[in-house]
Amino acid sequence: MSVIDDLLVRNARFAEGFAAGDLAARPALRLAVVTCMDARLVPPAALGLEAGDAHIIRNAGGVVTDDVIRSLSISQHMLGTEAIMLVRHTRCGLQTFTDEEFAEARKRTQGVSPDWVAGTFEDLEDGLRGDVQRIRQTPFIPRTDDVRAFVYEVETGRLRQVH
Ligand SMILES: [Zn+2]
């Protein structure tokens, strides 16, 4: 019995009262959120989002990678979003090791190297400013007039904007 079996039970319960089958694929708030996969950060709860409201793109660190650019490009070109909210958070796991340490850890178990980097960072604000720049500079994201970056404090649940 894995934890996933338990989730199947929870899903059956969820589906019993399901009433959101007619929602449009286009996010109602025309918003895309990029954030970390961290388990302490639950974006719909922290941001007051409901089903159908926004795209939520998550990865380790909430870093704007090539694949995040891909998702944002599809989000804006094909699904009508306009605003982009970038959210990293305090005490992020990606601040606790370096790309080099990750490469070493991988080498102990694998003989091959990936074509991506871990994307670790020391400073949350600097990382977010770099991400905003990256979004503004890519030719694949058409709307960049409403891109804002935030740090979510896992200690308080509060967001603070990065300028
Ligand atoms: Zn994180």
Side-chain angles (χ1 to χ4, degrees):
M1 187 80 172
S2 100
V3 63
I4 296 171
D5 293 303
D6 183 47
L7 295 194
L8 295 179
V9 174
R10 296 188 204 186
N11 172 255
R13 223 177 291 137
F14 168 77
E16 272 173 29
F18 193 71
D22 293 329
L23 288 176
R26 295 168 83 85
L29 302 182
R30 301 188 179 198
L31 166 72
V33 180
V34 178
T35 193
C36 183
M37 66 185 184
D38 194 281
R40 294 165 292 186
L41 172 48
V42 181
L47 303 175
L49 296 173
E50 306 282 347
D53 279 349
H55 284 149
I56 300 176
I57 303 159
R58 304 190 73 167
N59 64 22
V63 176
V64 175
T65 61
D66 286 348
D67 195 63
V68 168
I69 300 277
R70 179 184 72 89
S71 294
L72 287 172
S73 187
I74 291 167
S75 178
Q76 290 202 353
H77 280 292
M78 308 310 292
L79 292 158
T81 66
E82 296 168 355
I84 298 174
M85 189 173 186
L86 305 177
V87 183
R88 296 198 193 189
H89 65 95
T90 54
R91 294 203 249 162
C92 185
L94 267 77
Q95 295 173 291
T96 62
F97 59 92
T98 64
D99 279 30
E100 291 70 32
E101 286 166 348
F102 175 66
E104 274 308 308
R106 259 193 318 94
K107 252 184 246 164
R108 284 197 289 275
T109 54
Q110 298 173 304
V112 289
S113 290
D115 58 4
W116 38 262
V117 297
T120 58
F121 50 87
E122 285 178 23
D123 189 86
L124 285 167
E125 281 83 356
D126 283 350
L128 281 162
R129 287 187 198 105
D131 281 348
V132 171
Q133 279 306 107
R134 184 142 192 232
I135 285 170
R136 293 216 166 110
Q137 284 166 3
T138 178
F140 305 117
I141 299 174
R143 299 199 59 134
T144 59
D145 51 314
D146 197 8
V147 181
R148 292 162 74 182
F150 299 85
V151 171
Y152 173 83
E153 298 176 349
V154 296
E155 300 88 350
T156 65
R158 284 182 200 285
L159 284 176
R160 65 179 144 83
Q161 188 161 350
V162 174
H163 296 283

